[in-house]
């Protein structure tokens, strides 16, 4: 089974590309969605212990957590040490279940894939990219997003140019939706011909 990583900085269009893979019947694991689940479940008590006042009734308040993390990189590392092992467990279970079902390919959508060193566990990496101007416009249209918050998020992420350099495939989302989907279709066609080696090395 082929293991494909999907990444890209905030606002680049990862969700659009992931949805296209789903349309082809390719199972997709969304790391961000898994974090949301963890914040409403297993991770809440651990986060509250590390950052008092950020969770209530077993649910992490993301706004309070963001405030607690602001301006201190070491706090992000502390949070990652709590959440990343739990996400990894969920990813591994997802991949193993897909393999047991006979899937030929899975897509792991991981925003911080390169930052966390996960590219070594993939057969191929697809990076979604757009210009800084388009990225900023998209992100600032999101509810509750500010220039300051965007700046904090971007500091935690590798530059787009570096992600493009390290990926095997790139989807450029500067153009129309049709152009984005056409690029994605072409990449999926190419992926189907790649050798699958990562599963046996890292996911069993």
């Amino acid at each position: 089974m082929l293991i494909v990583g999907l990444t890209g900085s905030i606002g680049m269009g990862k969700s659009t590309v992931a949805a296209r893979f789903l349309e082809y019947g390719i199972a997709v694991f969304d790391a961000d969605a898994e974090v949301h689940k963890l914040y409403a479940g297993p991770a809440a008590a651990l986060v509250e212990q590390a950052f008092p006042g950020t969770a209530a009734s077993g649910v992490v308040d993301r706004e309070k957590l963001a405030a607690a993390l602001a301006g201190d990189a070491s706090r992000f590392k502390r949070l990652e040490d709590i959440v990343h092992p739990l996400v990894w467990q969920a990813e591994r279970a997802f991949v193993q279940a897909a393999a047991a079902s006979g899937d030929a390919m899975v897509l792991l959508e991981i925003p911080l894939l390169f930052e966390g060193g996960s590219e070594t566990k993939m057969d191929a990496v697809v990076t979604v990219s757009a210009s800084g101007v388009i990225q900023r416009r998209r992100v600032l249209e999101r509810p509750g997003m500010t220039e300051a918050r965007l700046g904090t998020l971007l500091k935690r992420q590798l530059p787009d140019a570096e992600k493009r350099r390290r990926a095997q495939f790139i989807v450029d989302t500067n153009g129309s939706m049709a152009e984005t989907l056409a690029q994605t279709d072409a990449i999926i066609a190419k992926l189907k011909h790649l050798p699958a080696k990562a599963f046996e090395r890292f996911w069993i």
Side-chain angles (χ1 to χ4, degrees):
M1 182 176 70
L2 196 74
I3 313 294
V4 181
L6 176 67
T7 195
S9 298
I10 184 172
M12 294 302 194
K14 293 184 296 298
S15 296
T16 297
V17 174
R20 192 63 165 179
F21 274 77
L22 279 172
E23 290 178 15
Y24 277 84
I26 298 166
V28 175
F29 178 89
D30 184 337
D32 270 355
E34 185 62 31
V35 171
H36 279 274
K37 291 179 186 177
L38 291 169
Y39 281 172
L46 297 172
V47 172
E48 172 64 20
Q49 184 178 4
F51 305 99
T54 59
S57 302
V59 178
V60 174
D61 184 316
R62 296 176 72 89
E63 292 298 323
K64 290 182 179 178
L65 179 59
L69 297 174
D72 190 339
S74 67
R75 293 178 183 174
F76 278 105
K77 178 63 167 60
R78 190 175 181 187
L79 178 64
E80 289 169 356
D81 288 344
I82 294 169
V83 175
H84 283 186
L86 299 174
V87 174
W88 160 245
Q89 289 176 17
E91 284 174 351
R92 190 165 180 267
F94 171 87
V95 169
Q96 291 181 342
S101 296
D103 289 10
M105 184 190 309
V106 293
L107 183 75
L108 306 181
E109 182 183 348
I110 307 173
L112 299 178
L113 185 147
F114 289 122
E115 292 85 346
S118 295
E119 73 269 27
T120 60
K121 300 181 177 70
M122 309 295 156
D123 289 302
V125 174
V126 179
T127 286
V128 185
S129 177
S131 73
V133 172
I134 290 177
Q135 176 193 33
R136 184 170 296 274
R137 187 196 72 212
R138 290 172 180 169
V139 177
L140 291 177
E141 287 174 350
R142 298 181 182 183
M145 184 58 66
T146 65
E147 289 277 1
R149 188 170 181 183
L150 173 58
T152 298
L153 290 170
L154 291 177
K155 286 179 182 178
R156 296 182 60 218
Q157 301 182 348
L158 282 177
D160 179 58
E162 178 65 10
K163 291 181 178 182
R164 291 173 67 101
R165 186 186 70 80
R166 292 169 64 173
Q168 286 73 51
F169 300 96
I170 298 167
V171 179
D172 187 316
T173 65
N174 283 304
S176 67
M177 177 66 73
E179 290 170 334
T180 294
L181 297 180
Q183 292 176 66
T184 305
D185 292 348
I187 289 170
I188 291 172
K190 292 177 181 178
L191 287 169
K192 291 179 179 179
H193 297 289
L194 292 184
K197 300 178 180 179
F199 178 73
E200 291 186 357
R201 291 178 179 174
F202 301 108
W203 298 92
I204 294 177

